[in-house]
Amino acid sequence: MNRALLSGSIAAFALLGILGLGRPIMRRLHGDAIDPKMFLALVNAEHDAQGQSASSACLRPLYGQSFFKATMPATVLGDPRGSWLLVSPVPGYGMNTKGYFFGTLQRGQPAPLPFLAAMLDAGVIHRVPARWLRFIIGATEQVRSPDGSPVTRVIVPDRLDQMQGDILIGTPPPGFIYLTAAMELAPGHFPDVITGPDPHDARGKTPPGIRYMDGLCWRLHADRVLEVSDVNHQATGTRWIVAAIRRRPAILPAWLTDPRIAGAGYAGQVLTTDVVLRSFHDYGAGWVLDPAPYLNDLANLQMHSVTP
């Protein structure tokens, strides 16, 4: 090759670079440094900023169903016969009781649902003792005494029936939250958790700390970058990259994968690992996470494995 031909080849490669056709060569020469830990920190910071709605998985009851099962009788207020039911405080239960309602059971009765049995066995929910009281007004009749004055005669005396039961109460384990459909339960609405020291007083109240549990959610923590794309340089001087990121629960307790929970048939699934594509941009001040997952042009995306 003579000197004129060599000079012409160098000029041609330079022209390709100017026209943008030599971008792969320019990219390699740029020496883009990729720190997988930085990308993980950006994804996890998004969760901290947006709350549980971001980067989480949830189990919810199917439409028309619920997580709890009440086997104790429902509270009756204003019964035509003048009777009602209420939960009487006992040691360990009262108006200061707090937690999420999972149902009621008779004393010593096993959990009626496998899901509840698994949660009880794991200590995620527990039994709180209570008494169900039913004050029944007896029957009377008006009769006259021998001297003709009216007298009320008791045919059936008033009586107080009671049953021993348990209220199932849970609190979210570390790394989990419970969703609520209603912030508080009002007396007369299912599930009726009503307290009152006097069975003659129907003005019971729901403990303000009792919540109706409508969903179980847990955070998915970004723990590893599996693959990254080439760093793409744009005419504006910015650059962007796509990363495949593995997410897992920040805390994965054994009870979450219990078949009685994993196969409970609720909306959603027990998600213990997933992979998401997220894109990152550098506008000149360092990498930032795009607000939406990367969804376009997946077929032409060239990905490269990242060494653990």
Side-chain angles (χ1 to χ4, degrees):
M1 181 181 297
N2 58 36
R3 182 173 297 176
L5 181 58
L6 179 60
S7 300
S9 299
I10 294 175
F13 277 111
L15 179 60
L16 288 175
I18 294 173
L19 294 177
L21 301 178
R23 186 174 296 170
I25 296 176
M26 296 175 65
R27 182 184 303 125
R28 286 195 294 269
L29 294 177
H30 188 276
D32 295 296
I34 301 303
D35 181 5
K37 293 182 179 179
M38 174 194 62
F39 292 155
L40 296 178
L42 290 173
V43 172
N44 288 323
E46 175 196 41
H47 174 276
D48 295 335
Q50 297 185 14
Q52 190 67 35
S53 60
S55 301
S56 63
C58 295
L59 286 178
R60 292 183 176 89
L62 297 173
Y63 180 77
Q65 299 183 14
S66 67
F67 274 110
F68 57 81
K69 179 72 173 180
T71 61
M72 298 298 287
T75 302
V76 179
L77 297 178
D79 187 290
R81 297 185 303 162
S83 62
W84 59 86
L85 285 168
L86 61 111
V87 178
S88 175
V90 299
Y93 178 83
M95 292 305 294
N96 293 325
T97 297
K98 296 181 179 180
Y100 291 80
F101 179 87
F102 280 84
T104 58
L105 296 175
Q106 293 184 18
R107 188 66 48 80
Q109 180 187 37
L113 298 175
F115 177 85
L116 292 178
M119 299 284 271
L120 279 167
D121 292 343
V124 180
I125 59 178
H126 58 279
R127 295 172 179 253
V128 176
R131 291 185 302 164
W132 270 252
L133 303 179
R134 186 174 183 86
F135 180 75
I136 301 178
I137 298 178
T140 61
E141 66 175 354
Q142 294 290 327
V143 297
R144 291 191 175 276
S145 64
D147 61 5
S149 60
V151 175
T152 300
R153 185 168 66 92
V154 175
I155 301 176
V156 179
D158 297 345
R159 77 175 191 272
L160 179 64
D161 290 340
Q162 62 175 309
M163 292 180 292
Q164 302 295 323
D166 296 312
I167 295 178
L168 303 182
I169 297 293
T171 55
F176 291 76
I177 69 165
Y178 292 150
L179 302 179
T180 54
M183 291 306 295
E184 292 191 10
L185 304 174
H189 293 78
F190 185 81
D192 293 305
V193 181
I194 295 179
T195 63
D198 184 0
H200 296 76
D201 183 4
R203 296 172 298 176
K205 297 188 300 182
T206 299
I210 298 294
R211 300 290 183 265
Y212 168 86
M213 188 272 202
D214 193 47
L216 172 64
C217 295
W218 58 96
R219 175 183 178 179
L220 294 177
H221 179 83
D223 73 334
R224 182 183 169 189
V225 176
L226 302 176
E227 296 180 338
V228 295
S229 71
D230 291 328
V231 178
N232 293 272
H233 296 269
Q234 299 174 322
T236 58
T238 64
R239 55 183 182 153
W240 63 275
I241 191 173
V242 176
I245 297 176
R246 184 181 68 187
R247 304 187 305 171
R248 292 177 172 176
I251 300 175
L252 182 59
W255 59 264
L256 186 60
T257 55
D258 188 310
R260 295 173 294 178
I261 294 178
Y266 295 118
Q269 58 180 332
V270 176
L271 186 62
T272 57
T273 302
D274 78 343
V275 177
V276 293
L277 289 177
R278 302 304 301 266
S279 54
F280 304 83
H281 272 83
D282 180 4
Y283 298 98
W287 291 105
V288 294
L289 174 67
D290 282 354
Y294 184 85
L295 298 175
N296 57 335
D297 199 22
L298 296 177
N300 297 322
L301 191 63
Q302 299 295 322
M303 303 294 290
H304 310 282
S305 298
V306 175
T307 303

